[in-house]
Amino acid sequence: MVLMDIFQQFLSALLGIVVFVGSIMLIIKANVRDWDVLVAKYGRDWATPAMQKNMQTAILYSDGRPAKTYNGIITIGLFREGVGFKLNSILAPLHRPILVPYKDVQGYKKDWFLNADSMELEFRKTPGMRLIMPADQVDWIAAGAKDRVSISDQYPSHGKSPWATRAAAFLLMVMFVCAVISAISFAMRSVF
């Protein structure tokens, strides 16, 4: 009887581990789906670039799907033939590096960040996929590319502001503030 109980506990633990690992893998695969669109057209192994900036930020935005934020985990490299993007392999597993030829890059002004100017990069072979970056990062890319990329101070034709994303961010901020106020109120009642 004891052996049967141990076997059942083992099976239960094994099932829990399989469900947990499977759930994590599904989340990772769902998160990498949009990046894989870029990899399909521009994927390339990372080599040593002529110029490189580490710990940069970008947001991958595709039509009809939630944006993916890569905050401080992107390395941008300028190569002879194009601009490369590589994500930190620990914090963004399964995200292979890409190299986009300079002629395929089109940049536009974008109102995305609330605290900084931003630019939107579109790539010719992946319409509908946009990389939103702080304007100073795009300026660095444009300066290193020596006028081989097209950067415009105009807004793109598909709009200038992600109103739904900002509305959701505002709602989340309000919910967070309410939760903090409730927690402080609860703590004050418990103490006094």
Side-chain angles (χ1 to χ4, degrees):
M1 193 62 147
V2 174
L3 189 58
M4 189 60 127
D5 289 339
I6 292 172
F7 184 68
Q8 284 179 333
Q9 287 178 351
F10 173 75
L11 284 179
S12 294
L14 184 63
L15 179 64
I17 290 170
V18 167
V19 168
F20 176 75
V21 170
S23 298
I24 296 297
M25 290 306 292
L26 283 174
I27 290 168
I28 290 171
K29 286 300 280 179
N31 193 36
V32 79
R33 182 181 314 137
D34 288 336
W35 190 263
D36 279 346
V37 172
L38 295 173
V39 169
K41 300 294 182 180
Y42 298 112
R44 187 183 114 177
D45 290 332
W46 191 260
T48 304
M51 295 170 45
Q52 178 172 305
K53 282 187 108 174
N54 298 319
M55 298 173 53
Q56 301 303 301
T57 295
I59 298 168
L60 181 61
Y61 182 70
S62 61
D63 292 335
R65 291 199 288 272
K68 313 264 186 318
T69 302
Y70 303 109
N71 195 13
I73 64 170
I74 287 189
T75 298
I76 304 170
L78 296 180
F79 297 87
R80 186 174 37 84
E81 61 273 12
V83 59
F85 299 96
K86 177 178 79 164
L87 279 74
N88 181 301
S89 60
I90 295 170
L91 299 175
L94 305 178
H95 289 72
R96 292 185 36 228
I98 62 172
L99 178 74
V100 183
Y102 292 122
K103 64 180 174 50
D104 285 5
V105 178
Q106 175 69 47
Y108 298 100
K109 185 176 181 179
K110 189 75 167 179
D111 289 335
W112 190 285
F113 300 118
L114 297 176
N115 60 349
D117 292 334
S118 57
M119 299 289 287
E120 170 183 294
L121 296 180
E122 290 183 347
F123 308 129
R124 187 177 57 82
K125 293 181 184 174
T126 56
M129 303 291 294
R130 300 170 188 93
L131 207 56
I132 313 297
M133 306 175 81
D136 61 335
Q137 288 177 201
V138 176
D139 291 342
W140 180 82
I141 292 169
K146 298 179 178 54
D147 298 324
R148 291 182 283 177
V149 297
S150 175
I151 305 294
S152 172
D153 284 337
Q154 303 299 314
Y155 288 101
S157 61
H158 54 269
K160 68 175 197 169
S161 182
W163 64 270
T165 301
R166 285 196 174 167
F170 179 76
L171 257 155
L172 288 172
M173 182 184 69
V174 168
M175 289 171 51
F176 175 75
V177 169
C178 289
V180 168
I181 291 170
S182 295
I184 290 171
S185 174
F186 178 76
M188 297 297 280
R189 281 185 275 149
S190 297
V191 172
F192 298 109

